[in-house]
Amino acid sequence: MTARTVALLVFALLLIFAGIFVNADSAALPAMVAVHFDAAGRAGAFAPRGQYQIAVLLLALALPVAIVGIMAFAYSRATDLKLPNREYWLAPQRLERTRAFLTTHSIWLGSMMVALTCFVHWLVLDANLRRPPELSNSLFAAGLLAFTAFMGVWIAALMLAFRRKPGD
């Protein structure tokens, strides 16, 4: 199984999970959902459950698919990318491998976007079960820290992949 196949499988499974998770668990939310919280975790703004559900589905499904689609489309046709050692990585014998790496890398980004949105949805579900609604700032901070760490690894992997020619 190729790296791209694994990335696509993970992305597809996360999208399916997100669709089921958001649709199934949104029914447990109150008619007016607390959607914005202040620094202390107290609810500051509310939205109708249906609008909240649509917004989360768009963030969890449509946005990552659109970003991955745009990046995959752009990379699949790219011949003039700004990369270190570009003459090496864009040489005809390596161009397809370079494109495949960049496309696979974008799929992993999409997967993390889906995971982050599901995590935030779970936090909103949990917050709305409390009376009054209250967001766990420590869990929110931990989720953002994990996503930031992933982004650091994602960027480092991209930079390391193209920093020099193999054998240098």
Side-chain angles (χ1 to χ4, degrees):
M1 201 180 299
T2 68
R4 186 188 300 189
T5 303
V6 171
L8 277 171
L9 181 61
V10 169
F11 187 51
L13 290 173
L14 281 170
L15 289 170
I16 291 166
F17 170 79
I20 293 169
F21 176 54
V22 172
N23 280 319
D25 288 348
S26 290
L29 289 167
M32 290 301 287
V33 180
V35 295
H36 183 269
F37 301 87
D38 66 15
R42 293 181 300 259
F46 295 81
R49 181 184 329 137
Q51 287 180 2
Y52 168 80
Q53 187 174 4
I54 290 169
V56 172
L57 285 171
L58 287 172
L59 285 172
L61 305 176
L63 182 61
V65 167
I67 287 174
V68 168
I70 289 167
M71 291 173 81
F73 178 79
Y75 291 143
S76 71
R77 288 157 177 69
T79 57
D80 188 27
L81 297 166
K82 295 197 183 300
L83 297 171
N85 302 301
R86 56 185 276 138
E87 53 286 334
Y88 177 83
W89 295 109
L90 299 178
Q93 66 271 26
R94 282 180 286 285
L95 182 58
E96 284 308 313
R97 191 173 69 206
T98 299
R99 288 173 173 169
F101 175 84
L102 291 168
T103 300
T104 301
H105 211 62
S106 69
I107 294 167
W108 286 118
L109 176 63
S111 293
M112 284 310 299
M113 292 172 65
V114 175
L116 177 65
T117 304
C118 286
F119 178 73
V120 171
H121 174 62
W122 174 74
L123 288 176
V124 170
L125 284 169
D126 181 64
N128 278 277
L129 292 176
R130 304 169 193 272
R131 292 292 165 240
E134 185 177 350
L135 184 74
S136 170
N137 282 337
S138 60
L139 285 176
F140 183 72
L144 284 180
L145 184 62
F147 185 78
T148 302
F150 165 78
M151 288 305 300
V153 169
W154 187 83
I155 291 166
L158 185 62
M159 292 173 67
L160 288 172
F162 297 108
R163 88 175 167 198
R164 68 175 90 130
K165 301 177 222 175
D168 278 357

